């Protein structure tokens, strides 16, 4: 049974930090290490840290981003397993740790459960990941960071969070650990957290950055599969499925379609040739 370290990352979110503190204070299991990494808040959050006697270690200083702050927390941790519960996030019930800790038997290096997403605009949903993870599921959905207990040793053995990324470093870590390094994982049918779905990764204006970071990671770590992944993305489209159905079941229609496409391509190539003169 491994000792738990809870790490909270915060920057100018005093209201959310107070919620997180109260949730951790109310846990029935008390034998945990608690680390708070603050990015130099100026909204009163620093004073909350000073008053909170459940905190084992804390830092308040400027950082280069959320993953830089997370890596600082990991390096300060002296426990066997880590869970991130950032400002605004809370445990789902007061007995989550009491139920999970007996399951952390060192054999499983990543232990994950369900997550309840919410935001201030009334968005609510529960995410229930599968007990058997696949490359495709992790690529598309990933697993919620606040619902995962990670063996600290993995960060030394595999890598710390990629500080070049602003959104996808935790997703990348799980992809590498589970899909490349084949670490042992375990799903527990328990809702672990309320996840505050209003951070940087949830904002619509950051979707392009999110997809770009994922693409960069896939190119780097899964190079040999990258072109196949692009093909699989295309194959999900409705038009491609219709084209595939025609090619397999309607031979005459397919010949006509292929002839029509050849004409279009021929015309397009001629047009390009004219433009290139």
């Amino acid at each position: 049974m491994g000792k738990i370290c809870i790490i909270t990352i915060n920057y100018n979110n005093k209201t959310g930090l107070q919620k997180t503190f109260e949730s951790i204070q109310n846990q029935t299991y008390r034998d945990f290490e608690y680390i708070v990494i603050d990015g130099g808040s100026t909204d009163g959050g620093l004073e909350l840290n000073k008053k909170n006697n459940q905190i084992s270690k804390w830092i308040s200083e400027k950082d280069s981003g959320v993953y830089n702050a997370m890596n600082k927390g990991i390096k300060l941790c002296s426990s066997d397993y880590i869970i991130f519960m950032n400002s605004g996030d809370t445990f789902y019930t007061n007995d989550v740790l009491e139920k999970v800790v007996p399951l952390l038997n060192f054999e499983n290096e990543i232990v994950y459960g369900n997550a309840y997403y919410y935001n201030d605009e009334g968005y609510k949903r529960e995410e229930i990941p599968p007990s058997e993870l696949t490359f495709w599921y992790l690529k598309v959905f990933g697993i919620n960071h606040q619902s995962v207990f990670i063996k600290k040793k993995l960060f030394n053995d595999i890598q710390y969070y990629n500080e070049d990324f602003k959104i996808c470093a935790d997703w990348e870590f799980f992809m590498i650990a589970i899909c490349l390094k084949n670490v042992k994982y375990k799903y527990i049918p328990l809702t672990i957290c309320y996840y505050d779905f209003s951070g940087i990764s949830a904002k619509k204006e950051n979707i392009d950055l999110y997809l770009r970071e994922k693409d960069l990671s896939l190119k780097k770590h899964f190079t040999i599969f990258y072109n196949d992944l692009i093909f699989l993305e295309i194959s999900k489209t409705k038009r491609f499925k219709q084209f595939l159905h025609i090619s397999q079941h309607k031979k005459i229609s397919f010949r006509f379609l292929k002839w029509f496409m050849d004409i279009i391509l021929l015309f397009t190539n001629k047009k390009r040739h004219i433009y290139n003169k």
Side-chain angles (χ1 to χ4, degrees):
M1 187 182 300
K3 186 182 176 185
I4 296 290
C5 177
I6 306 168
I7 299 177
T8 294
I9 305 304
N10 174 68
Y11 179 66
N12 283 340
N13 185 14
K14 182 180 178 181
T15 301
L17 186 63
Q18 183 67 57
K19 286 171 57 178
T20 304
F21 281 174
E22 289 174 0
S23 172
I24 293 170
Q25 181 67 47
N26 291 333
Q27 284 298 295
T28 54
Y29 180 87
R30 303 299 306 161
D31 185 19
F32 57 77
E33 180 183 19
Y34 187 33
I35 296 172
V36 177
I37 307 296
D38 181 81
S41 294
T42 57
D43 66 343
L46 184 60
E47 285 65 35
L48 288 181
N49 290 340
K50 292 177 179 178
K51 294 176 182 178
N52 191 340
N53 57 16
Q54 67 184 337
I55 297 176
S56 309
K57 304 167 188 173
W58 64 275
I59 294 175
S60 183
E61 62 184 19
K62 289 185 178 181
D63 53 57
S64 60
V66 63
Y67 294 115
N68 176 240
M70 288 181 174
N71 285 339
K72 288 181 183 180
I74 295 167
K75 291 170 185 176
L76 287 177
C77 169
S78 59
S79 303
D80 299 310
Y81 286 88
I82 294 172
I83 183 168
F84 286 92
M85 201 59 61
N86 296 335
S87 57
D89 303 321
T90 61
F91 285 106
Y92 191 70
T93 59
N94 293 339
D95 60 352
V96 166
L97 291 182
E98 185 178 337
K99 291 178 178 178
V100 172
V101 167
L103 304 176
L104 303 179
N105 57 9
F106 293 101
E107 180 182 353
N108 298 302
E109 298 167 290
I110 291 176
V111 177
Y112 64 100
N114 307 333
Y116 194 92
Y117 285 60
Y118 78 97
N119 64 20
D120 293 336
E121 299 174 359
Y123 177 89
K124 295 179 181 179
R125 75 175 172 88
E126 186 173 22
E127 183 177 276
I128 303 175
S131 58
E132 294 293 329
L133 296 171
T134 63
F135 177 87
W136 189 254
Y137 181 87
L138 287 171
K139 174 190 174 295
V140 177
F141 301 105
I143 47 180
N144 178 269
H145 206 178
Q146 281 75 2
S147 67
V148 185
F149 297 81
I150 308 167
K151 187 179 283 189
K152 185 199 172 182
K153 188 174 181 291
L154 289 184
F155 293 103
N156 293 321
D157 291 348
I158 299 175
Q159 69 175 41
Y160 281 72
Y161 293 121
N162 182 352
E163 296 182 16
D164 292 332
F165 285 173
K166 294 186 180 298
I167 299 176
C168 279
D170 50 320
W171 171 87
E172 180 184 68
F173 176 83
F174 291 132
M175 287 290 291
I176 294 171
I178 296 171
C179 298
L180 283 183
K181 302 300 182 180
N182 200 30
V183 304
K184 292 185 178 180
Y185 64 85
K186 180 180 178 64
Y187 167 74
I188 51 177
L190 180 72
T191 304
I192 305 297
C193 68
Y194 282 106
Y195 169 57
D196 186 357
F197 193 58
S198 57
I200 183 173
S201 61
K203 297 184 184 300
K204 292 180 180 179
E205 60 267 29
N206 292 323
I207 290 177
D208 286 344
L209 176 61
Y210 172 75
L211 295 174
R212 190 160 60 249
E213 288 183 354
K214 287 180 75 170
D215 194 61
L216 286 171
S217 181
L218 290 169
K219 282 181 179 177
K220 178 179 179 181
H221 298 289
F222 299 94
T223 309
I224 195 170
F225 306 119
Y226 186 75
N227 288 334
D228 291 332
L229 292 173
I230 298 299
F231 175 79
L232 287 172
E233 288 289 344
I234 296 172
S235 70
K236 291 191 300 181
T237 65
K238 185 177 180 180
R239 287 184 180 179
F240 182 86
K241 289 178 180 177
Q242 291 173 340
F243 179 83
L244 194 62
H245 178 77
I246 290 173
S247 69
Q248 293 174 341
H249 301 289
K250 300 180 180 180
K251 300 299 182 183
I252 296 176
S253 298
F254 177 69
R255 289 194 191 102
F256 175 78
L257 180 61
K258 187 175 182 300
W259 171 80
F260 182 70
M261 289 177 67
D262 288 340
I263 294 295
I264 291 175
L265 289 172
L266 181 64
F267 176 77
T268 303
N269 287 335
K270 284 184 178 180
K271 200 170 184 180
R272 284 178 182 170
H273 183 69
I274 292 170
Y275 288 156
N276 288 333
K277 285 185 178 180

